[in-house]
Amino acid sequence: MTKFADETLTEIRRDLHRHPEEGWKEFRTTALVAEELDERGFDLALGSDAVVVEERLGVPDDDEIAAARERAKREGAPEEYLDRIGDVTGLVAEKRYGDGPTIGVRVDMDALARSEASDDDHRPAREGFASTHPNEMHACGHDGHTAVGIGIARAFDAEGFDGTLKLFFQPAEEGGRGGKPMSETTHIDDVDALLALHLGLDEETGTVVGGYDRPLSNAKLDVTFEGEPAHAGGAPNEGRNALQAMTTAIQNLYAIPRHADGKTRINVGQVHADNAQNVICEEAQMRVEVRGEDADLNDYMMQKAERVVEHAAGMHDVAYETSLYGMTTTFENDGFVVETVMDAAETVEGVTQICGRSPFGGSEDASFLIRRVQENGGVASYIGIGASNPAGHHTAYFDIDEAALDIAVGVVEEAVRRLAVRL
């Protein structure tokens, strides 16, 4: 019997919430989902069979990966599936029920690198299912998304549909690191329609959004400045100050002109310089992100950011290196799918409000899977399921109303059935 066999979606979500795993470290989550879906007769593609390994972005170092695998083993990940996963997380599960179209559903699995609130004002802490991992937390609802993916597989157990169901359990959504490598596999090639979903997004439980449109394109750039150390009092002229180059870059990154053709954004979210106060800094690091309303605007911001970094380094006579940490693109949902989701939502218990299209202010790497399906002639939509989150996404107090889990399963199940008939 699988670990999750007798557990409700709420119990599954809470188990995953207690054991959050950052991107490319989702070994326990992937293994437990694989065990559950294998038992239900799905064909599984795991690890390097689920993503294009060479296209991964923002991958932790080998020691971190090894430590995450060992932790997953200690915390009950079935070893058979850990062995099949290897060192790469991710899962695509497929089951053919009939001769009709192939419908894909994408959910993400990863947690964030942040600490969770531990006081009684936070329900997971109060009720005993808060994170047990320091500086890792499901602060965006991906624990719920994973539970919903299992729920969708369960929903078709009793009575399938005339088609093939393909479930994409994607790693490393945070930072935009896992969508592109999963989208470039052959698993996406035969998908006629794709549904991606997100819980919460500040919508009340019972609200269904047929399609969140036009997320901002996004790119995250890691920058390292390399200078020369020197005694700050005795011989400051002998040093080349990496920290000064970084602060010059930061000031000028925020000065990049915004573009007349649409929304553009920039932020420096992380800086680091492990340096004594009496030493000219020899190394400084920062993580920058840019966004644009479309790919061209995102490229504009990226080119300007790289130019600022180059010349800040030159001004202070230091070397620099950049690497792409993550990226997303944008998309527009297909009206046919949005309408199908809205029609499906009308039949689902607990749904109280149905919205059509809504703009999506953030970024989302399901964009790569959606775009690939559309480029191949298929259709797609990114669905919102309200969950009355009491605090904003990515905060220490984030939580969801677990009633939203069954609503999400119901909406997706009914939408899949209707798409199979309408396509």
Side-chain angles (χ1 to χ4, degrees):
M1 180 179 291
T2 68
K3 173 176 172 53
F4 291 151
D6 295 326
E7 294 190 356
T8 66
L9 297 188
T10 292
E11 289 169 333
I12 292 171
R13 181 256 166 168
R14 292 188 174 198
D15 176 274
L16 297 174
H17 195 90
R18 278 192 295 269
H19 303 93
E21 298 169 300
E22 285 185 77
W24 301 123
K25 299 180 184 179
E26 310 95 328
F27 291 101
R28 182 180 185 274
T29 304
T30 303
L32 288 171
V33 173
E35 179 187 52
E36 175 78 9
L37 297 191
D38 199 7
E39 182 76 12
R40 296 180 183 280
F42 281 78
D43 295 325
L44 306 181
L46 281 160
S48 59
D49 292 328
V51 299
V52 177
V53 174
E54 296 77 14
E55 295 293 329
R56 292 178 301 160
L57 295 169
V59 182
D61 64 35
D62 291 345
D63 289 343
E64 288 183 76
I65 293 290
R69 285 188 91 260
E70 281 302 308
R71 182 179 68 182
K73 184 176 178 180
R74 291 195 307 271
E75 295 182 346
E79 290 191 44
E80 173 189 350
Y81 298 97
L82 275 181
D83 290 342
R84 290 174 63 181
I85 291 166
D87 292 331
V88 181
T89 55
L91 165 65
V92 181
E94 180 177 352
K95 188 172 183 179
R96 185 175 183 271
Y97 297 93
D99 297 330
T102 297
I103 314 294
V105 180
R106 178 272 196 182
V107 295
D108 40 15
M109 302 185 293
D110 57 320
L112 283 144
R114 67 150 305 125
S115 297
E116 183 162 12
S118 58
D119 58 84
D120 284 347
D121 289 339
H122 185 48
R123 184 176 65 116
R126 186 172 65 250
E127 297 186 12
F129 64 96
S131 171
T132 59
H133 297 165
N135 200 39
E136 284 180 296
M137 175 194 174
H138 272 296
C140 200
H142 299 185
D143 49 344
H145 300 173
T146 305
V148 167
I150 292 172
I152 292 165
R154 289 178 175 181
F156 289 99
D157 268 359
E159 181 183 356
F161 72 104
D162 186 20
T164 296
L165 180 65
K166 193 173 285 194
L167 299 173
F168 295 84
F169 288 86
Q170 186 207 299
E173 186 277 331
E174 300 295 350
R177 298 176 288 154
K180 189 173 188 293
M182 183 165 272
S183 75
E184 295 190 0
T185 66
T186 58
H187 299 298
I188 205 77
D189 291 347
D190 63 347
V191 174
D192 298 295
L194 179 73
L195 301 173
L197 65 90
H198 208 300
L199 297 168
L201 300 179
D202 300 320
E203 297 286 356
E204 294 298 314
T205 304
T207 299
V208 174
V209 178
Y212 279 106
D213 271 323
R214 296 182 297 279
L216 298 176
S217 291
N218 174 287
K220 291 178 170 61
L221 190 68
D222 282 348
V223 182
T224 300
F225 294 97
E226 294 281 354
E228 185 71 27
H231 194 289
N237 56 296
E238 295 178 5
R240 292 183 289 115
N241 198 323
L243 181 58
Q244 195 170 7
M246 182 172 71
T247 56
T248 299
I250 291 170
Q251 180 182 15
N252 287 282
L253 286 167
Y254 283 105
I256 293 173
R258 299 303 174 260
H259 204 290
D261 289 348
K263 296 176 184 175
T264 54
R265 302 282 189 270
I266 190 160
N267 189 55
V268 180
Q270 189 177 110
V271 297
H272 181 73
D274 187 12
N275 198 73
Q277 70 270 25
N278 62 347
V279 177
I280 300 297
C281 181
E282 63 182 302
E283 181 176 291
Q285 299 168 326
M286 66 179 182
R287 178 163 293 160
V288 183
E289 73 161 18
V290 299
R291 302 181 196 242
E293 193 166 341
D294 58 31
D296 289 341
L297 290 169
N298 193 59
D299 288 344
Y300 160 81
M301 293 298 292
M302 190 65 152
Q303 290 169 15
K304 292 291 188 184
E306 289 175 334
R307 183 173 181 271
V308 166
V309 168
E310 176 189 357
H311 289 285
M315 182 182 296
H316 296 284
D317 192 25
V318 303
Y320 76 96
E321 290 184 356
T322 63
S323 61
L324 187 65
Y325 178 80
M327 64 185 298
T328 72
T329 187
T330 190
F331 59 83
E332 187 160 344
N333 299 300
D334 292 287
F336 167 76
V337 186
V338 173
E339 292 171 8
T340 301
V341 170
M342 294 172 68
D343 292 344
E346 290 180 354
T347 71
V348 176
E349 183 178 354
V351 174
T352 56
Q353 182 176 0
I354 302 171
C355 307
R357 296 174 180 271
S358 181
F360 190 76
S363 302
E364 169 57 68
D365 74 353
S367 53
F368 287 111
L369 287 89
I370 289 172
R371 290 285 290 269
R372 272 292 308 279
V373 168
Q374 292 173 331
E375 289 164 3
N376 291 339
V379 291
S381 187
Y382 189 83
I383 306 168
I385 307 291
S388 297
N389 41 294
H393 290 256
H394 294 203
T395 67
Y397 288 88
F398 181 82
D399 192 16
I400 60 169
D401 178 0
E402 289 152 337
L405 302 176
D406 286 332
I407 293 173
V409 172
V411 169
V412 173
E413 177 193 2
E414 184 60 27
V416 168
R417 295 189 186 282
R418 290 172 183 250
L419 286 168
V421 172
R422 295 179 180 182
L423 286 171

